[in-house]
Amino acid sequence: MFLMYRPTADNLVPIRLDIEIDGQRFRDAFTWNPSDPDSEVVVFAKRTVKDLKLPPAFVTQIAQSIQTQLTDFRSYEGQDMYTGEKVVPIKLDLRVNHTLIKDQFLWDLNNFESDPEEFAKSFCKDMGIEDLEVGPAIAIAIREQLYEIAVQNVTSARESRINKKGRRGFDHIQASKTGGNAVDLFKLFGNKSSVVRKRKEWDVYEPIVDLLSNEEVDALEAKEERNNR
Amino acid sequence: MATETTPPSKPSPELPSANPATPTVDVPPPSAAATPTPSTSATTPATVTPRLPEPDADVVHIPSYSRWFSWNGIHECEARFVPEFFDGRSSSKNPRVYKYYRNAIIRRFRENPNRKITFTEVRKTIVGDVGSIRRVFDFLEAWGLINYAGSAKPQLKWEDKETKSAAAAAPQGSDVAAGGGGADVSVPKKRVCSGCKTPCTIACFASDKHDMTLCARCYVRGNYRVGLSSADFKRVEISEEAKTDWTDKETLQLLEAIMHYGDDWKKVAEHVSGKSVKECVARFIKLPFGEQFDGPPESAELDTELGLQNQAIPTKRMRLSPLADASNPIMAQAAFLSTLVGVDVAEVAARAAVTALSDLGEGKQQESNNASNGDKLNMMEEALVEAKSQLEKEEEELEKTISGIATQSKEIEDKILQFEEFDLEMERKRQLFQQLQDRLFVDQLTILFNKTAAQKSGENTGEVIKIE
């Protein structure tokens, strides 16, 4: 029942940067391949600073931030985590430039063929999204959630192992701890004859893509700024 | 190394045979210096000399060593230089993903080919991990498929020539091999290696064609930019370095000498203090107009001679300045050519050019006739200039329409592909539904039979089966 931490076949790391130096703020998000050598981090930081014409002080900060996030990731890599039947709900709620996206769907953690990048690409294609920056943002959002879930799994697996040494009823604890946000497929679909969702749930699971006007974008940005402070 | 003489004609736009869908692609001509024999699979690039750029937003230039590129295929040199996508070690890195990255980057660049595109703005729009995207980007940039000659400008001032031509000719920013653009090479007294960025001592290896300098260590280790081979580099002793740099004064003397003595290189070398015959010739060839000036001007060639009046010139630079500001680089070039050539020759060439033009039925006939009758060379100039510009305009329009058509057809191809996929999906779904329908029908039949059977055998039970 214990598997290595490997939510997807290629295991890309979602990296978020939010650095402020001398009043200049740099925010970014992208995916990083952890099998790239660490020397690439500095190369990437320098390239980004050069392309965006940022002051050179950003190079070290960016490199450090990426490195920290990578190290965190690597500390979970190779850890055992519980994955039984593991279908988790993923929620998308993000805004990229003028496009607002809300969506909810189920993701099978056991199937390593599931690829957030492919999902993002076909999502943009199917929904006819023209802004090219949306795709990467979706992939990153999915990966971040998968990462969160995996982290929870690893910690709960650790705890249950500790508990195992102390008590019996191991299975009972496992089921309750790790079944947290996973969807128990059997419960959901066991006694029904159809896998098709009930009509009333269709709205919840339907993707919503909104194009915002400039004023709406400004209003939302102002709200986000206030929330961040 | 034999020197080839290339006919001084304007390079005609070629369509590479592999991909009819790309916009018109221009291939620069090989320089007058010999090219290393191009081996198979595009390992050795043809030399790229800084040539005057054509001011046309819809024509995309790529160097001749990248003519293997096609939208739908993957060439073996791509598999060699970006192997991570082709070795099957990672499930998310496969040729399909590589094609997606590559085509997305190139498409993005070609939306605005006059502007250099940065890696950061491209990776924000591509779904994938930034490390792989960056490697594909660097590969494409090194091979000139993007950001190629994006900001080359016509050269007129001798002192700026070297730096700018070095920057324009050498593709910049390649991380694949050591050291990208030859921006370091700018009339240096001190040679800095473009590979390891250390100052060179004792001896170094220079490639004039690509304006690169490598220290001995980098040369031996093979730290070249993509596409170079060891044959491109010449050994240069540092101790003699200082002597071989050409100052402006020497270049000026060289040009004056050429003007006076023409092809007599011995006299030219005498006139130029401190340079041997070979050096003079080599230097002259390297000048940006060198390759166009090849032997006596041919009267039938419209492109080389516009027959501008030649005046007795004390200093070429002074005379160049009135026309040097001309937006038309051809004009500037013609100005230079006219200064090199005698008055009589220019006149003869001008007349021949005018007759050729009038044969084609372009230009203002009356003005040319008047000019050829009288001594008014100025009017002739104007007529020729106008005729020339009209010709150019037509060519530009033609190129624009062709490339417009090419992009449109590519778009239509994409759409057709999408529709085909969609059709396929629809067909599958239809079949699926058909199957379901059939099954449902079978179920209904069975139930019906069972019902009738049950009724016959078990009438007393009185069960009613509802068929949903």
Side-chain angles (χ1 to χ4, degrees), chain A residues 9-10 12 26-33 35-37 40 43-44 47-48 50-52 115-118 120-121 125 132-133 135-136 139, chain B residues 84 90-93 96-97 100-101 108 111 118-121 123-132 134-135 137-138 141 173 175 418 421:
Chain A
D10 50 6
L12 304 182
F26 170 63
R27 298 180 75 186
D28 201 359
F30 49 86
T31 37
W32 185 271
N33 192 331
S35 50
D36 280 349
E40 297 274 323
V43 171
F44 174 80
R47 192 68 178 270
T48 308
K50 179 176 138 210
D51 286 346
L52 295 173
D115 189 2
E117 272 72 38
E118 289 302 313
K121 279 190 239 173
K125 203 170 96 169
L132 293 173
E133 296 190 14
Chain B
E84 56 188 305
S90 169
S91 63
S92 67
K93 294 195 196 176
R96 186 180 55 87
V97 164
Y100 161 67
Y101 289 166
R108 187 79 193 219
E111 279 171 14
T118 61
F119 157 66
T120 303
E121 66 183 271
R123 63 103 169 145
K124 280 193 195 285
T125 64
I126 296 182
V127 183
D129 75 280
V130 292
S132 326
R134 199 208 77 225
R135 286 187 280 274
F137 184 89
D138 288 338
E141 199 171 24
D175 284 337
Q418 281 186 17
E421 285 177 28

Side-chain angles (χ1 to χ4, degrees), chain B residues 169-359:
Chain B
Q172 291 157 13
S174 81
D175 284 337
V176 179
D184 277 336
V185 184
S186 50
V187 200
K189 293 292 175 192
K190 188 176 58 151
R191 291 290 191 129
V192 176
C193 171
S194 350
C196 53
K197 306 276 188 282
T198 54
C200 296
T201 54
I202 305 165
C204 67
F205 289 83
S207 166
D208 285 331
K209 296 170 212 150
H210 301 278
D211 282 305
M212 273 187 72
T213 316
L214 292 185
C215 68
R217 212 171 296 132
C218 287
Y219 177 78
V220 164
R221 262 199 279 144
N223 265 358
Y224 318 129
R225 199 166 44 81
V226 171
L228 298 180
S229 74
S230 54
D232 291 332
F233 289 90
K234 267 191 332 252
R235 187 190 165 86
V236 175
E237 298 286 88
I238 296 289
S239 49
E240 296 176 9
E241 262 302 319
K243 296 187 203 161
T244 60
D245 283 340
W246 281 77
T247 63
D248 297 334
K249 192 160 161 262
E250 288 168 342
T251 320
L252 207 57
Q253 285 178 337
L254 172 69
L255 289 166
E256 283 177 355
I258 291 173
M259 193 185 75
H260 289 302
Y261 302 120
D263 270 335
D264 195 345
W265 290 103
K266 254 173 61 183
K267 290 219 180 104
V268 170
E270 275 175 25
H271 186 264
V272 178
S273 52
K275 301 283 184 220
S276 72
V277 170
K278 276 193 198 156
E279 281 168 340
C280 292
V281 178
R283 179 70 185 163
F284 184 64
I285 293 174
K286 267 190 263 163
L287 298 177
F289 311 120
E291 66 179 54
Q292 302 262 2
F293 185 67
D294 208 275
E298 288 143 45
S299 39
E301 290 288 325
L302 294 173
D303 298 343
T304 49
E305 282 300 333
L306 290 180
L308 289 171
Q309 181 179 10
N310 188 15
Q311 298 127 8
I313 300 165
T315 320
K316 273 163 221 34
R317 199 177 297 172
M318 278 170 53
R319 281 301 162 185
L320 275 176
S321 27
L323 284 160
D325 299 337
S327 53
N328 189 348
I330 308 273
M331 285 304 300
Q333 184 178 343
F336 167 67
L337 286 169
S338 68
T339 62
L340 287 174
V341 139
V343 184
D344 306 322
V345 183
E347 217 179 286
V348 168
R351 289 222 183 87
V354 167
T355 31
L357 275 173
S358 55
D359 284 346

Side-chain angles (χ1 to χ4, degrees), chain A residues 215-229:
Chain A
E215 297 86 21
E216 291 170 321
V217 170
D218 291 337
L220 275 174
E221 276 180 355
K223 206 181 353 160
E224 284 163 17
E225 287 286 309
R226 267 181 272 128
N227 287 342
N228 286 340
R229 300 250 171 83

Side-chain angles (χ1 to χ4, degrees), chain A residues 17-189:
Chain A
L17 298 176
D18 191 352
I19 302 171
E20 184 151 359
I21 298 180
D22 289 339
Q24 196 174 359
R25 193 164 186 202
F26 170 63
R27 298 180 75 186
D28 201 359
F30 49 86
T31 37
W32 185 271
N33 192 331
S35 50
D36 280 349
D38 282 347
S39 52
E40 297 274 323
V41 174
V42 177
V43 171
F44 174 80
K46 284 194 185 147
R47 192 68 178 270
T48 308
V49 165
K50 179 176 138 210
D51 286 346
L52 295 173
K53 299 188 176 54
L54 299 171
F58 273 93
V59 175
T60 32
Q61 293 269 12
I62 293 176
Q64 267 176 22
S65 176
I66 299 177
Q67 198 63 44
T68 326
Q69 296 182 58
L70 277 180
T71 326
D72 284 344
F73 172 87
R74 291 210 176 99
S75 68
Y76 289 109
E77 203 178 20
Q79 300 282 333
D80 296 332
M81 72 174 195
Y82 170 75
T83 45
E85 179 73 48
K86 209 66 162 104
V87 173
V88 295
I90 302 269
K91 286 193 177 64
L92 292 182
D93 186 358
L94 53 129
R95 180 186 68 81
V96 178
N97 298 335
H98 286 260
T99 316
L100 190 72
I101 294 180
K102 280 203 197 342
D103 196 5
Q104 183 180 334
F105 45 88
L106 299 175
W107 191 275
D108 184 0
L109 277 187
N110 274 346
N111 184 0
F112 298 153
E113 301 281 322
S114 320
D115 189 2
E117 272 72 38
E118 289 302 313
F119 179 91
K121 279 190 239 173
S122 40
F123 185 95
C124 291
K125 203 170 96 169
D126 293 342
M127 303 302 288
I129 295 177
E130 298 189 347
D131 188 352
L132 293 173
E133 296 190 14
V134 174
I138 294 178
I140 292 168
I142 296 175
R143 282 201 182 271
E144 282 181 325
Q145 293 186 46
L146 292 178
Y147 187 34
E148 280 286 321
I149 292 167
V151 165
Q152 284 174 19
N153 282 344
V154 171
T155 40
S156 63
R158 254 189 234 145
E159 285 173 25
S160 53
R161 236 184 301 144
I162 294 169
N163 287 337
K164 183 181 181 183
K165 291 179 185 158
R167 293 192 243 168
R168 287 194 171 192
F170 171 55
D171 295 53
H172 174 72
I173 292 164
Q174 258 186 354
S176 57
K177 276 232 179 218
T178 55
N181 53 354
V183 169
D184 191 344
L185 277 178
F186 188 71
K187 233 194 293 174
L188 203 54
F189 301 122

